[in-house]
Amino acid sequence: MIARVENLTVKYDDFTAVSELNLSIEEGDIYGFIGPNGAGKTTTIRVMATLLLPFAGKVTIAGMDVERYPEKVKPLVGYMPDFFGVYDNLKVWEYLDFFARVYGMEPAGIPSKINEALEITKLEGKREAYVDFLSRGMKQRLCLAKTLIHDPKLLILDEPASGLDPNARVEIRELLRTLSREGKTIFISSHILSELADICNRVGIIEVGKLVSEGTMDQITKQLQPGRLLKVRARDIEAAARFAAASRIVLSSEMKEGCLLLRIEDTDGVAERLIKTLVDSGAGILSVSEEKPGLESLFQKLTRGTVS
Amino acid sequence: MNALLKKEIRTRMRGKTIFAIENVYLVLLTGIFLIVLAISSAGRESFAWETGRSLFETVNYVQILLLVIASPTIVASAFTLEREQKTLDMLLATPLSLVQIARTKLLASLSVFFVLVLVSLPMLSVCFILGGVSPSEIFWAYFLTLEGILLAGAIGLCYSALLKRTLAAVPISSLTIIVFLIATLLIAKLLSPALGTLNPLYAFHLMTSRWTTKFFAFETPFWVPSLVLTSLLFLCVFSYTVEILNEEKRRTSSQPRALRLLFYCAMLLFLLSSTIEYGPRSADIAAGLERFVWVSYLFCVAQAIVVSGGSLSGFERKKLLSSWKEKCLRLKGWLGPGLCVGPRYSLLIAFMSVVIFSFGAFQVDMVKRRMLSILLVGCLFVTGTLTCAMLARFFSLVRRTKGNSLPRILASFCFLIVLVAPHLITYVHRRGKTEIPETAWDLSVFFSPLIALGYAVEPTRTPASYPYCAKLLGSVPFSVVTSLLYFSLLIVLWALNLRWERKIRLSTEQI
Ligand SMILES: Nc1ncnc2c1ncn2[C@@H]1O[C@H](COP(=O)(O)OP(=O)(O)O)[C@@H](O)[C@H]1O
Ligand SMILES: [Mg+2]
């Protein structure tokens, strides 16, 4: 367990931005922290990055309380804020050199470290460029390079892909995969579930300061929609629906765009039995396929209800 | 070299502002130097040393004035620029401590001015050659200039941490410096020259005219008060800056910033009051001491009221109601704010006791008296602040609406009444009498914490202006009665608090 958030409550004066939040991040995870705008992601992350004190509860990183030992936690964490800028009148390598030194790296090892970071973020060509003249995507990558420069165990990235074009987003995602392969633990926030779904192995969904759901992508899908969803097309769709209902293994059925959507339990043999019943019924089954719910609709379903 | 310092100097030197400032400064100083040189050599007949002297004074006055007013303009952007560029978060997330960051920012921004100081070196050597100026005077002139730059820089840095925008921080800090220079000049003329040495211009004036000044009832060279007072003010401003930066982490305001400022003011007030010349030395010290004790008392009470008045905000209230059984914890919660725990406030009290003890402890027979005095002051502090804390807590418990201001205001109001009422009562009952009558109404002054503190500082003094009290007391020190009074008040308030808590708990349980 590299990081752990326990009953975290954060207030801005009288407004509670995060309440009783619990998260746990294992070593090697790519943890997606997802929620709509204003859910409290940045607030949580700022507590983890020692920039904000919790009102109640605590955050521990590598077993150390962030509030009590900020100076020990800081070197372990690479933090990338959601909105950030760069210094005027500073070159790319000087920028990285500055952060490397500030984090107390051995001076001798710094140049090679800078090269490594530039290489991984594909910024080698910009070594001598002034940072304030970089494009938005490059600045984002530079910030990531800065986050990597002191070799932190845990990367905390607050919406690293926001405001980027699709290509740059893909690049960032690739970069995260590479980093994960190199053994970094990554905690990343986003307001778009589908963006993280295929790279994260764990996901936490937050809504108005509360954790709505946490687990692997599969678990979350299951939790929302128990069982499997079968899509049936038939010549006599009415008859098929009747037979399906009579079979008593269908949890719920629904007509949509001339197709029959049947929800069944996710246990061995159930689907087989249902299909057999339907085929035998003589309703003229044309096709049966499994329906995967779209991630965005899932996300909406998760976060609806609590919003209003 | 420190990485932050290197980066700061690098980015600043690449910017344009620095060059503009350097050039303007060079032109101004050289221009003035030449004009003064022309006037003093062309006008009436004069000795070379007279020219040297007047050149030396002019160049230094101009140099100090220009640099002291200009230095905060650069420093004031130290943090606001980081905020505007949105780089502050990343800087604060690094392992650098706030003190390190603030210190380096200050030095980096001032480095330009340290260099500019050297510009006047050739001019001053001309003065030296002309005669009329000693090397030590040149040394002290530089010393005063650097001191002034550092203090002005610290003030600029403070505004930089306090304000969000560079465009606000720069003019405000320059304005503050100008007001500061004028105010200290007035203080120097009207109150105390020693205090005036906070102003580098005045200190320089002292250096060239009298050289010595009276400080803490001693005749000392001008640089002693200048060094002591400037360092103190510098430290206060600097640590306040660090506090403000620290505050960025703490978004819920349980202890408003203004209060911390008050603490630093209390520290300063003590020093300031001691430098004012009052007459015979012992009376002087007693008066200064009394004022200091008063200010710290008021500070502690204010702190207690603010902390306790806000201690039962929504969240705490919920916690209180759900954990009724954890009596010990709540006791800690009560005592904590009441005693104003936290190293800073203990430091204040400790500092005060040392001061009380050291003044007058020079004679052996006074040691016992001083011990008693510390004990009494301590008792008054503890009972007074706890009572106020309890009062504020009570209002906080009773209030129905949200927000912490009402309990705080109510508690402060009650405290003010207690502060003023005894004086008012005795005043009304003595009106028009020439000799002081013995009246039982005088007993109300036992409630006045300030009078009690005054008598605690000099425990053997009898309350001569309150004959009835004096007769009742006999040889018992005045403050003992006040402590006891406040102690019983404390018990009553405690009981009231407990009752209300119970009541609230019962009413919520029924729901
Ligand atoms: N400095 C602040 N002062 C007051 N309220 C804030 C502050 N920062 C954020 N908030 C509020 O806290 C809530 C959570 O914000 P945030 O953590 O930034 O959300 P997210 O990053 O998920 O979009 C929002 O409702 C926002 O308005
Ligand atoms: Mg955010």
Side-chain angles (χ1 to χ4, degrees), chain B residues 288-394:
Chain B
L289 200 58
E290 216 168 288
R291 254 193 314 283
F292 174 67
V293 173
W294 284 354
V295 172
S296 358
Y297 183 81
L298 291 181
F299 172 74
C300 281
V301 165
Q303 179 76 21
I305 287 178
V306 168
V307 173
S308 299
S311 69
L312 290 171
S313 53
F315 192 79
E316 290 290 325
R317 211 179 166 91
K318 220 161 72 188
K319 218 156 66 177
L320 162 87
L321 295 175
S322 59
S323 66
W324 167 249
K325 282 177 199 128
E326 295 173 37
K327 280 208 162 175
C328 287
L329 259 179
R330 279 183 307 118
L331 202 65
K332 211 172 112 198
W334 282 0
L335 291 178
L339 283 172
C340 316
V341 283
R344 234 172 285 111
Y345 312 119
S346 332
L347 206 75
L348 177 77
I349 311 246
F351 178 56
M352 199 185 61
S353 346
V354 169
V355 168
I356 294 177
F357 194 72
S358 56
F359 282 119
F362 305 115
Q363 293 121 316
V364 181
D365 62 317
M366 282 182 108
V367 172
K368 224 154 74 186
R369 225 178 73 192
R370 287 295 154 200
M371 285 296 212
L372 182 64
S373 154
I374 288 176
L375 191 74
L376 287 176
V377 172
C379 279
L380 285 173
F381 262 72
V382 171
T383 51
T385 45
L386 272 182
T387 307
C388 288
M390 220 49 105
L391 193 68
R393 193 178 186 281
F394 178 68

Side-chain angles (χ1 to χ4, degrees), chain A residues 55-77:
Chain A
F55 181 78
K58 67 174 183 178
V59 174
T60 45
I61 287 179
M64 285 173 296
D65 188 344
V66 169
E67 190 175 349
R68 285 181 62 194
Y69 307 104
E71 69 288 352
K72 284 189 186 155
V73 168
K74 279 169 171 178
L76 298 179
V77 172

Side-chain angles (χ1 to χ4, degrees), chain A residues 157-169:
Chain A
L157 314 175
D158 198 353
E159 311 214 5
S162 68
L164 292 184
D165 62 49
N167 272 341
R169 279 165 188 264

Side-chain angles (χ1 to χ4, degrees), chain B residues 458-471:
Chain B
E458 296 274 321
T460 45
R461 215 164 83 202
T462 50
S465 39
Y466 304 101
Y468 194 72
C469 297
K471 210 168 77 185

Side-chain angles (χ1 to χ4, degrees), chain B residues 3-130:
Chain B
L4 182 59
L5 190 64
K6 194 163 151 187
K7 184 228 104 196
E8 287 285 319
I9 290 179
R10 202 177 243 160
T11 51
R12 285 206 185 266
M13 286 303 170
R14 282 178 188 160
K16 293 198 180 72
T17 345
I18 301 285
F19 277 106
I21 288 182
E22 275 176 355
N23 289 331
V24 169
Y25 176 75
L26 260 175
V27 169
L28 264 177
L29 199 65
T30 326
I32 288 168
F33 178 76
L34 291 178
I35 290 169
V36 173
L37 189 64
I39 292 174
S40 53
S41 52
R44 65 205 151 70
E45 294 282 304
S46 58
F47 297 106
W49 70 264
E50 277 177 327
T51 314
R53 188 89 198 150
S54 69
L55 269 178
F56 171 71
E57 291 185 8
T58 323
V59 166
N60 270 305
Y61 278 128
V62 172
Q63 167 167 285
I64 292 175
L65 191 68
L66 284 183
L67 290 184
V68 165
I69 291 179
S71 57
T73 57
I74 295 286
V75 184
S77 64
F79 290 111
T80 52
L81 214 59
E82 296 256 0
R83 279 205 189 92
E84 282 162 354
Q85 290 177 340
K86 299 217 164 53
T87 47
L88 189 60
D89 273 355
M90 284 192 278
L91 186 61
L92 294 181
T94 61
L96 292 179
S97 73
L98 289 178
V99 175
Q100 261 174 326
I101 293 178
R103 195 181 57 203
T104 316
K105 286 254 170 204
L106 184 65
L107 286 183
S109 315
L110 290 180
S111 58
V112 191
F113 296 96
F114 297 148
V115 176
L116 282 186
V117 165
L118 297 181
V119 167
S120 64
L121 202 59
M123 302 177 198
L124 292 191
S125 38
V126 169
C127 305
F128 183 63
I129 292 163
L130 288 172

Side-chain angles (χ1 to χ4, degrees), chain A residues 219-226 263 297-299 301-302:
Chain A
Q219 281 171 347
I220 285 188
T221 321
K222 290 246 174 63
Q223 183 189 336
L224 269 171
Q225 302 196 314
R263 183 172 300 284
S297 69
L298 247 181
F299 183 48
K301 190 162 177 178
L302 265 177

Side-chain angles (χ1 to χ4, degrees), chain A residues 48-106:
Chain A
M48 293 172 77
T50 71
L51 294 174
L52 198 62
L53 292 180
F55 181 78
K58 67 174 183 178
V59 174
T60 45
I61 287 179
M64 285 173 296
D65 188 344
V66 169
E67 190 175 349
R68 285 181 62 194
Y69 307 104
E71 69 288 352
K72 284 189 186 155
V73 168
K74 279 169 171 178
L76 298 179
V77 172
Y79 164 63
M80 175 167 169
D82 50 350
F83 297 106
F84 62 90
V86 290
Y87 294 107
D88 288 338
N89 300 315
L90 208 61
K91 290 176 184 167
V92 166
W93 75 267
E94 289 168 346
Y95 181 82
L96 293 177
D97 182 69
F98 164 60
F99 278 103
R101 280 170 203 273
V102 160
Y103 274 97
M105 308 275 302
E106 273 305 312

Side-chain angles (χ1 to χ4, degrees), chain A residues 3-217:
Chain A
R4 179 181 205 135
V5 177
E6 285 169 85
N7 296 321
L8 179 70
T9 300
V10 186
K11 287 185 161 199
Y12 294 109
D13 291 320
D14 272 349
F15 175 76
T16 308
V18 171
S19 72
E20 308 270 321
L21 188 75
N22 286 291
L23 299 174
S24 55
I25 300 151
E26 300 290 339
E27 201 136 5
D29 271 355
I30 301 189
Y31 192 107
F33 191 42
I34 298 167
N37 286 325
K41 302 183 295 291
T42 301
T43 307
T44 311
I45 284 178
R46 285 174 61 85
V47 175
M48 293 172 77
T50 71
L51 294 174
L52 198 62
L53 292 180
F55 181 78
K58 67 174 183 178
V59 174
T60 45
I61 287 179
M64 285 173 296
D65 188 344
V66 169
E67 190 175 349
R68 285 181 62 194
Y69 307 104
E71 69 288 352
K72 284 189 186 155
V73 168
K74 279 169 171 178
L76 298 179
V77 172
Y79 164 63
M80 175 167 169
D82 50 350
F83 297 106
F84 62 90
V86 290
Y87 294 107
D88 288 338
N89 300 315
L90 208 61
K91 290 176 184 167
V92 166
W93 75 267
E94 289 168 346
Y95 181 82
L96 293 177
D97 182 69
F98 164 60
F99 278 103
R101 280 170 203 273
V102 160
Y103 274 97
M105 308 275 302
E106 273 305 312
I110 289 177
S112 67
K113 205 69 214 159
I114 291 178
N115 286 338
E116 214 174 282
L118 286 177
E119 196 178 321
I120 204 166
T121 51
K122 304 209 176 62
L123 282 171
E124 300 107 315
K126 297 286 173 188
R127 230 186 124 77
E128 295 291 329
Y130 280 96
V131 286
D132 38 336
F133 293 130
L134 294 182
S135 75
R136 167 99 203 208
M138 286 179 191
K139 276 184 194 162
Q140 217 103 353
R141 289 205 304 260
L142 176 64
C143 191
L144 211 60
K146 169 245 129 188
T147 321
L148 295 173
I149 198 85
H150 60 284
D151 218 355
K153 276 178 141 177
L154 174 66
L155 299 180
I156 302 182
L157 314 175
D158 198 353
E159 311 214 5
S162 68
L164 292 184
D165 62 49
N167 272 341
R169 279 165 188 264
V170 173
E171 271 174 30
I172 294 260
R173 229 177 301 166
E174 285 308 313
L175 192 60
L176 293 182
R177 278 218 184 87
T178 317
L179 290 174
S180 176
R181 268 199 297 278
E182 285 181 6
K184 302 249 182 263
T185 310
I186 302 176
F187 184 77
I188 177 173
S189 85
S190 174
H191 59 275
I192 306 170
L193 179 67
S194 56
E195 188 174 270
L196 297 184
D198 49 336
I199 58 166
C200 292
N201 62 339
R202 273 179 84 77
V203 173
I205 295 182
I206 185 180
E207 170 76 10
V208 279
K210 293 203 172 66
L211 201 67
V212 183
S213 155
E214 194 197 17
T216 61
M217 271 318 290

